[in-house]
Amino acid sequence: MAKEFKGGCLCGHIRFTAAGKPLNPHTCSCTMCQRHSGSLSQVWVEFDSQHVTWDGPGGEPKLWRSSEYSSRSFCNECGSTLGAIDDEPIVALVLGTFDAPNRKELRPSSHSYVSKKPKWWKVQIDH
Ligand SMILES: [Zn+2]
Ligand SMILES: [Zn+2]
């Protein structure tokens, strides 16, 4: 049986189950991630969209078009960030929404847009 990763928003309206191999786990401090999350860095992990099921009472998250190839996703009840849904068959989820974010397969291996974060904000990437 494939590994499953579950999570959801603050209020529980939006829930997901992601299966298969977690792709490209990374942190990002770009301006869009900062605005979307309210945090200085966001932590991302991607899945093949056919392996992500939106199984909470609210179904799929709301989308806001954020770039030419992607839309940011969020709960329309509590406003929590869920991640991004790309035009490519990729769903990017943010690690803070996972029920068990400490699973080793989800650990970030790179940091994008390091220069956009304050110097005092430390993100440790173990290689
Ligand atoms: Zn919610
Ligand atoms: Zn970013």
Side-chain angles (χ1 to χ4, degrees):
M1 196 182 119
K3 283 188 178 173
E4 287 192 339
F5 303 86
K6 290 179 176 288
C9 68
L10 181 59
C11 77
H13 189 60
I14 306 293
R15 295 282 305 167
F16 62 80
T17 301
K21 186 175 166 52
L23 307 168
N24 190 25
H26 70 284
T27 55
C28 185
S29 295
C30 81
T31 306
M32 283 208 301
C33 286
Q34 290 179 340
R35 297 274 190 204
H36 186 221
S37 68
S39 179
L40 295 171
S41 300
Q42 185 56 281
V43 190
W44 293 98
V45 63
E46 299 170 0
F47 290 86
D48 190 321
S49 57
Q50 67 182 0
H51 294 142
V52 177
T53 308
W54 299 104
D55 47 13
E60 295 184 9
K62 269 276 201 227
L63 297 178
W64 181 76
R65 193 74 179 165
S66 57
S67 73
E68 283 180 13
Y69 59 87
S70 187
S71 299
R72 302 279 165 152
S73 63
F74 58 96
C75 172
N76 66 341
E77 291 288 331
C78 69
S80 297
T81 296
L82 272 303
I85 297 180
D86 294 347
D87 296 343
E88 285 179 33
I90 290 290
V91 172
L93 298 166
V94 293
L95 213 55
T97 64
F98 282 66
D99 294 344
N102 58 334
R103 288 172 65 175
K104 68 177 188 305
E105 303 94 321
L106 303 174
R107 196 155 101 180
S109 55
S110 64
H111 187 112
S112 303
Y113 293 91
V114 176
S115 65
K116 297 289 187 184
K117 68 175 185 57
K119 285 192 170 45
W120 51 262
W121 180 251
K122 303 293 184 195
V123 176
Q124 183 182 332
I125 303 293
D126 296 323
H127 293 284

